[in-house]
Amino acid sequence: MEAEACVVGAGAAGGIIALELARRGIRVVVLESGPRHDFGRRGEYVRRYLRHENPWRSPLPELDRYTPGGPTPYVLDWKRVRGVGGSTLHWEGYTLRLHADDFRLRSLHGIADDWPISYQDLEPFYARAEKALGVAGTPDDPWASPRSTPFPLPPFPLSYSDGRFAGACRSLGIALHHLPQARNSVAYGGRAQCRACSTCHVCPTGAKASIDLTHIPEAEATGRVRVVTEATVVRLETDRVGEVSAAVFARPDKVEQRVTARVFVVAAGAIETARLLLLSSSRAAPDGLANRSRLVGKFFMSHPSIEVTGLARDKVHPYRIGFSTAVSRQFTVERDRASRGAFMLEFMNSAGPTPDRLAVTSGQWGEALRRHVQDEFGRRLGIRVYCEQLPDRANSVSLNPRVRDYFGNPGPHIHYSVGGYERRALDEAKEIAGRIFAAMGLTDVRRSNLMFAAHQIGTHRMGTDPSVSVVDTNLKAHDVPNLYLVGSGCFVTASSSPPTLTIAALAIRAAEHIAARLHPTGRVAPSVSSHEHEPRLTS
Amino acid sequence: MLLGIGPGSLTSPVMGYAAEAASKAGELSGAELDDLIAFGEVLVEGRTLSPTERGFLLEHIEDRLKHTPGHLSLYRTTVRTLERLAGRPFARLDLPERVELVTRHRLGASQTSVEEAPGPFSSEMQAIRKQIVEDLIGGYYGSAAGWAIVGYQMFPGRCGDLTRYTRAEP
């Protein structure tokens, strides 16, 4: 198999890159480890999700073997997704831009490192990513950095419980504002308006943006993109000059095949991208491909998270939609970030136990059980906290030769810890949530155990100095001239915001660079199907 | 009602309801399914369920048999034990008799004291209490029937009114 560009992974980063390249006339092969999840099966997937199963996992469970380690093990099980669409298949759809300050932690607070690009560099690409994904929002966030374009879609109205939170927050000087999200508040991009099905981890209508719906069909419709599914890349081979010459992949039959290309883009998520580089070691690169810095896999980050809930006297009507509609980013910016992390408060529309949880933990049965569930359901309000995590070299993804995947390759070992910087932030967040609940008259305030968002960040960080970073500002590997590593693995710091919109913006930016390199005089083809991808000349 | 869940019929017969679905639920016979559903009725609401409501229990049992190895044997143990305790197929007992039997043998309690004196078929009854009671209750209350109990006629996974979440329920 031969292409001009070979993309590994059909998720947010890979799917966007594939479409952007195809629109510039570039032939692309996308190798996706998971299957193509038939949209017609979403009803079945909803039922599986409601049974607390993850329908997006690989049909080859051995492919997802890994080991957690370190003081605070990072557990992947529910976070694993394989398939065309990647993690956007099950994401919550929250699409916040990073704040300008998030790019400058070293300059502003003397900790971690600055990104080698600024918010201003990325702003036009944020705007394009919002348009491509269909972000619903309104500019009412007092702590947002300046934007050049309006949100493409109107915001989702605040919820009933948001209204109750808002009054308490106002009395405490905390601003609550709309949460931007890639979910159709009105029909957009050929996809329907959200219909409040409440199962957003499996959106049955396609109203939530996911790359299998927003990008892959259009990419394939160009005739220049071929997506090969259930094709796991097991290593990248290099030639004598140190460029990648082939992506070697295998399907479930374990027969190896090759894709040759001029440019290779690895967009397999922060864990699998790092693993693939480490698996691709050679005599010339004994520590792994693109790893002269020895930083591949290092600085792994996520968003440590807690949920704080309180009990209301009356019903607060949770679980009527599957997503949140309000947040506060007050504590992401207006604070001294030198000693404790930034954090975002998400005002949950669905908190407290569901009827089945209430039922199985009640110890009751029969009529008494029914009464118990009716009485107890729907009285908890909750605030979820996402905390910024500092990059720490010890937090890392490495190969574990004692754990082999379906193809016999070492699985990833994730060493992880959460330090005082994060824990102090979470303690402060809990205290603020407690004040909000007190102002609302809530009782029985409870804090969950420490959790982690399904956000995997770091592992191939961006920088201008090849000795302390893996990729440059165009996401090209410092050591390998025709290899690009795209995704949240390139983030220098984690901020406290969900990473997907930034992944998308960086992917669009990287695609422009790759296209200019492959087709220096190329034109951008108009969008095949719709709406958001405006024709734009590159030269 | 949007889910088609009506008030539980007090006259719906338990027997024979599941027989036609037997082939879909793994290797359980229709009679075994009837017994399980009759047990589930007592556990989840303590009343005779409507055919639609029983359908959610049946769907849950089918899902379990399809996706969770080991449940066929557990369900069979449950049916066998209930029949031994009742002296006849459990589904042939009328509702008050079923409730009385579950009460007498404390079969509805998913947690029991370790000091509890072992009764007849103690290991089987422990398996029922520890696994099947929670399984059937969780399956039912996780279904649309469970959400209907808390007044959510449009849930789960069934699309509805996008503006409803902005206001209190009447």
Side-chain angles (χ1 to χ4, degrees):
Chain A
M1 228 177 282
E2 183 271 338
E4 288 176 278
C6 173
V7 177
V8 180
I16 288 172
I17 292 256
L19 175 59
E20 293 289 331
L21 294 181
R23 290 182 57 239
R24 290 165 174 81
I26 294 164
R27 288 179 301 108
V28 183
V29 166
V30 180
L31 299 172
E32 168 52 50
S33 176
R36 198 184 290 266
H37 295 278
D38 180 4
F39 188 76
R41 293 182 62 195
R42 292 225 175 162
E44 174 204 331
Y45 280 28
V46 165
R47 287 193 293 278
R48 291 174 59 190
Y49 167 70
L50 290 170
R51 286 200 306 267
H52 307 288
E53 294 175 20
N54 175 5
W56 306 115
R57 287 190 73 166
S58 170
L60 300 174
E62 303 96 326
L63 213 48
D64 287 337
R65 285 183 178 147
Y66 77 102
T67 49
T72 324
Y74 185 86
V75 176
L76 277 177
D77 299 350
W78 260 87
K79 303 179 178 77
R80 284 285 208 182
V81 174
R82 285 187 197 262
V84 174
S87 60
T88 63
L89 291 167
H90 81 153
W91 71 322
E92 291 183 304
Y94 302 154
T95 42
L96 292 143
R97 298 178 176 198
L98 270 56
H99 188 274
D101 290 0
D102 291 330
F103 295 80
R104 304 178 62 224
L105 272 190
R106 167 64 65 182
S107 298
L108 295 173
H109 303 286
I111 54 166
D113 290 295
D114 289 350
W115 291 45
I117 59 173
S118 67
Y119 173 81
Q120 289 71 24
D121 293 328
L122 207 52
E123 199 284 332
F125 301 98
Y126 271 133
R128 287 168 60 184
E130 286 174 345
K131 208 167 182 184
L133 293 170
V135 174
T138 190
D140 65 346
D141 175 356
W143 298 281
S145 292
R147 43 185 308 125
S148 61
T149 54
F151 284 97
L153 281 77
F156 282 88
L158 297 180
S159 69
Y160 169 74
S161 54
D162 292 337
R164 294 177 63 147
F165 277 120
C169 286
R170 204 176 303 117
S171 71
L172 296 168
I174 297 169
L176 170 153
H177 48 90
H178 286 80
L179 170 57
Q181 41 204 301
R183 181 178 280 106
N184 282 0
S185 56
V186 293
Y188 182 80
R191 294 178 293 112
Q193 181 190 35
C194 173
R195 295 180 61 201
C197 309
S198 305
T199 55
C200 298
H201 288 286
V202 182
C203 174
T205 66
K208 182 186 77 175
S210 57
I211 295 298
D212 59 319
L213 304 177
T214 56
H215 286 73
I216 296 294
E218 185 171 350
E220 292 181 311
T222 66
R224 289 185 284 274
V225 172
R226 178 179 175 190
V227 179
V228 185
T229 59
E230 298 185 74
T232 302
V233 178
V234 293
R235 66 183 177 279
L236 299 171
E237 291 181 342
T238 48
D239 60 19
R240 273 179 291 180
V241 296
E243 293 200 337
V244 177
S245 55
V248 181
F249 71 94
R251 308 194 73 196
D253 61 11
K254 299 188 179 179
V255 176
E256 289 191 353
Q257 301 180 61
R258 280 174 171 70
V259 175
T260 57
R262 290 172 62 192
V263 161
F264 291 81
V265 179
V266 182
I271 292 171
E272 291 297 332
T273 292
R275 182 164 82 112
L276 179 58
L277 296 174
L278 298 173
L279 287 173
S280 303
S281 60
S282 64
R283 190 177 301 169
D287 295 320
L289 191 61
N291 196 22
R292 278 192 197 139
S293 64
R294 297 189 147 197
L295 291 180
V296 167
K298 309 296 185 191
F299 299 109
F300 174 72
M301 292 170 275
S302 183
H303 289 130
S305 174
I306 56 169
E307 288 177 9
V308 187
T309 65
L311 191 65
R313 277 189 293 273
D314 53 342
K315 299 281 186 182
V316 295
H317 315 297
Y319 294 102
R320 295 183 295 175
I321 47 172
F323 54 94
S324 297
T325 38
V327 291
S328 177
R329 295 219 288 179
Q330 189 158 339
F331 307 97
T332 67
V333 180
E334 288 192 346
R335 59 192 286 105
D336 173 13
R337 290 161 77 174
S339 60
R340 70 226 191 284
F343 57 85
M344 183 176 80
L345 303 178
E346 175 190 339
F347 300 95
M348 301 166 68
N349 287 330
S350 301
T354 50
D356 59 334
R357 287 290 106 196
L358 277 171
V360 299
T361 55
S362 72
Q364 303 195 53
W365 59 277
E367 195 182 337
L369 173 63
R370 179 191 175 92
R371 276 201 310 272
H372 172 81
V373 173
Q374 279 178 326
D375 290 346
E376 295 302 316
F377 175 76
R379 293 176 55 211
R380 280 209 169 260
L381 284 164
I383 296 175
R384 182 180 291 141
V385 181
Y386 287 110
C387 172
E388 174 181 38
Q389 179 166 32
L390 274 189
D392 176 350
R393 187 178 170 133
N395 286 341
S396 60
V397 175
S398 57
L399 298 180
N400 184 348
R402 293 187 299 282
V403 174
R404 298 281 168 171
D405 71 7
Y406 179 81
F407 298 103
N409 287 318
H413 176 76
I414 304 167
H415 181 97
Y416 190 68
S417 66
V418 172
Y421 184 81
E422 295 82 23
R423 291 182 190 276
R424 282 190 290 276
L426 293 172
D427 287 344
E428 184 185 352
K430 186 204 166 207
E431 190 267 323
I432 290 168
R435 278 169 30 210
I436 295 171
F437 288 151
M440 298 170 79
L442 271 52
T443 58
D444 189 27
V445 175
R446 297 180 186 182
R447 172 189 163 152
S448 71
N449 292 329
L450 182 61
M451 304 181 288
F452 309 102
H455 307 150
Q456 290 125 30
I457 302 169
T459 77
H460 48 89
R461 61 184 356 213
M462 188 194 317
T464 52
D465 180 351
S467 69
V468 292
S469 59
V470 178
V471 296
D472 67 15
T473 55
N474 294 313
L475 310 189
K476 184 173 73 63
H478 289 304
D479 305 347
V480 186
N482 70 336
L483 176 64
Y484 292 79
L485 310 174
V486 185
S488 50
C490 71
F491 289 17
V492 179
T493 52
S495 86
S496 56
S497 296
T500 304
L501 189 71
T502 304
I503 292 172
L506 286 166
I508 296 169
R509 187 170 178 272
E512 283 202 351
H513 170 81
I514 295 167
R517 169 181 170 165
L518 290 173
H519 286 195
T521 58
R523 284 176 65 91
V524 179
S527 171
V528 174
S529 63
S530 54
H531 59 281
E532 70 270 9
H533 304 289
E534 291 177 348
R536 187 159 172 267
L537 294 178
T538 53
S539 61
Chain B
M1 299 178 77
L2 290 160
L3 289 176
I5 301 173
S9 162
L10 296 176
T11 56
S12 302
V14 173
M15 288 294 290
Y17 167 74
E20 64 192 60
S23 61
K24 287 198 291 183
E27 296 171 39
L28 286 180
S29 69
E32 288 171 321
L33 278 173
D34 283 336
D35 282 351
L36 269 181
I37 290 170
F39 183 46
E41 280 187 322
V42 173
L43 294 176
V44 301
E45 297 214 43
R47 64 175 174 86
T48 305
L49 301 178
S50 72
T52 306
E53 290 165 331
R54 271 181 278 157
F56 289 117
L57 271 177
L58 178 64
E59 185 178 81
H60 168 73
I61 292 166
E62 287 175 347
D63 280 343
R64 271 282 181 260
L65 291 170
K66 194 171 165 190
H67 297 291
T68 314
H71 256 69
L72 178 62
S73 150
L74 276 169
Y75 284 148
R76 284 233 163 97
T77 299
T78 302
V79 168
R80 205 168 46 240
T81 306
L82 289 171
E83 189 166 332
R84 283 178 183 165
L85 292 170
R88 56 187 153 144
F90 188 74
R92 288 197 186 161
L93 302 180
D94 61 25
L95 182 68
E97 289 176 315
R98 282 185 271 148
V99 172
E100 193 278 327
L101 186 142
V102 170
T103 305
R104 178 157 34 99
H105 294 285
R106 292 192 297 281
L107 282 174
S110 53
Q111 292 103 24
T112 51
S113 163
V114 290
E115 290 87 23
E116 185 177 332
F121 324 119
S122 59
S123 63
E124 290 90 343
M125 285 173 52
Q126 285 296 75
I128 293 171
R129 288 173 183 140
K130 285 185 176 168
Q131 297 180 70
I132 298 303
V133 170
E134 183 172 320
D135 170 68
L136 293 176
I137 288 176
Y140 184 78
Y141 278 86
S143 76
W147 287 94
I149 285 171
V150 296
Y152 283 38
Q153 309 292 336
M154 304 289 286
F155 204 86
R158 285 165 172 79
C159 306
D161 172 7
L162 182 56
T163 63
R164 183 171 158 236
Y165 76 91
T166 63
R167 53 184 186 262
E169 296 292 309

